[in-house]
Amino acid sequence: MKKLILFFIFLVLSNFVEAHKPKVRIGNFGNIKTYFTSVFNFNPKTIESEELKMQVVGRLSKLIAEKLGCSDTIMIERKTYYSHDVNQKLFILENNNSQYKLAFLDDGVILKSNNNGLAVRILSGNINVVDVLKLVEYSILNRKKLNQKYIPADYYYGEAKLTISVNSEDFIRKICKAQSKLVDEVINNNIELLNNGFLRTKISWKNGKFMFGIDNSSPTGSNYPEFVVNDFEIEDFKYYVDSAYSDFFLIFHAPNIFTYFDGDSECISDKIEVEKSSWYPFQVSRDNFQDKIILFDNKSYFYVYNFKKKLLQKIE
């Protein structure tokens, strides 16, 4: 049995080379355009929280633009920046240029301005949705002054260096700390991010929190008994893995800590910690083995997790 499982894992991991290619997500929400590159690229079942945040930012920025009467194109770009300083963040609020910029920096290229619209560009490891919405609002209200607020910064790509114009940390910090009634209003909107159908997994975002749940809304015209289903709320996380049949989630708070969720309060575990020897996110076996699931991130070992007893066993 162990050899069979290890062989299965090896077949899956033989495709992991694709993970080195970042996943690019381009979104269109009316006049709001979003661009995002992921840290890894595995499959539709393994998603970073940062990718979900960009969907939320796109949809809520559309509401902000509508309320402020802005119909010009607004480009919101977000990319993880592997700089010499891992904690470094770079922000660019730009007027009269909704052209792509971050997408080409690793090639040492800055595309010519299209002289149209606005842009909010963020190079960082993660974002805060509310902060980005405040930057969008500020850019719309103060667009004529945006291009006067830059300082030079070095962008490293490989061994080369490119000097780009960015906003100072103090400038961005002041905007994000300011109160905004408009942002407070729009974040109350419920944003559905995933819904796999009746009695299957779903995800939504509202007021700064992600909500993992099971859709127990009976199909129209059907007469089903009421199902008691719990939700799992979290402000942020690293990534989630949706199961093959969308009947449970593994929600990774950090690369080596996860919570199992299937809508049953008895099965919502405390945070489970595992050893981590690879940068790859964990994958989940296609099938459950009674009350157990298999997790793996390389072909040297795997974990068997009993989600009823909340027990974890490493097998090498």
Side-chain angles (χ1 to χ4, degrees), residues 175-267:
I175 297 173
C176 295
K177 284 187 175 181
Q179 293 296 315
S180 170
K181 292 182 179 179
L182 178 54
V183 172
D184 290 343
E185 176 187 339
V186 300
I187 63 172
N188 284 316
N189 284 271
N190 185 74
I191 305 297
E192 186 174 85
L193 299 165
L194 174 74
N195 194 327
N196 288 307
F198 182 50
L199 291 185
R200 302 176 74 192
T201 50
K202 67 176 184 178
I203 306 173
S204 60
W205 186 96
K206 184 178 180 180
N207 203 17
K209 291 185 179 181
F210 290 98
M211 182 85 71
F212 288 82
I214 303 295
D215 185 359
N216 63 341
S217 301
S218 300
T220 304
S222 301
N223 186 19
Y224 287 90
E226 291 188 6
F227 294 92
V228 178
V229 176
N230 294 277
D231 292 326
F232 178 75
E233 290 187 5
I234 187 170
E235 289 188 2
D236 206 354
F237 60 98
K238 189 71 175 175
Y239 66 93
Y240 75 84
V241 182
D242 196 1
S243 53
Y245 301 105
S246 299
D247 52 354
F248 69 85
F249 286 115
L250 291 185
I251 304 157
F252 282 82
H253 307 257
N256 64 328
I257 300 174
F258 72 89
T259 290
Y260 172 91
F261 170 80
D262 66 3
D264 184 346
S265 61
E266 294 182 0
C267 290

Side-chain angles (χ1 to χ4, degrees), residues 3 35 40 56 98 147 154 191 198 204 224 247 285 302 308:
K3 289 183 178 179
Y35 169 87
F40 50 74
V56 176
S98 56
N147 296 356
D154 293 330
I191 305 297
F198 182 50
S204 60
Y224 287 90
D247 52 354
S285 57
F302 60 91
K308 292 291 186 183

Side-chain angles (χ1 to χ4, degrees), residues 121-139:
R121 313 182 198 274
I122 304 170
L123 287 157
S124 69
N126 57 71
I127 62 170
N128 178 286
V129 170
V130 173
D131 286 349
V132 177
L133 295 177
K134 288 182 179 180
L135 296 179
V136 171
E137 180 189 21
Y138 180 91
S139 297

Side-chain angles (χ1 to χ4, degrees), residues 9-69:
I9 294 173
F10 174 77
L11 291 178
V12 174
L13 289 169
S14 65
N15 294 321
F16 271 19
V17 67
E18 294 298 321
H20 292 282
K21 300 177 181 178
K23 182 197 303 181
V24 175
R25 284 285 180 261
I26 297 174
N28 293 282
F29 308 90
N31 62 318
I32 308 298
K33 313 298 180 186
T34 61
Y35 169 87
F36 168 78
T37 56
S38 66
V39 175
F40 50 74
N41 182 12
F42 281 89
N43 55 62
K45 296 287 187 178
T46 306
I47 303 293
E48 294 175 85
S49 67
E50 298 303 309
E51 182 176 337
L52 296 182
K53 289 177 188 177
M54 286 301 289
Q55 290 188 48
V56 176
V57 165
R59 296 183 192 183
L60 295 184
S61 293
K62 179 177 182 293
L63 296 179
I64 289 175
E66 289 174 349
K67 290 179 180 295
L68 294 178

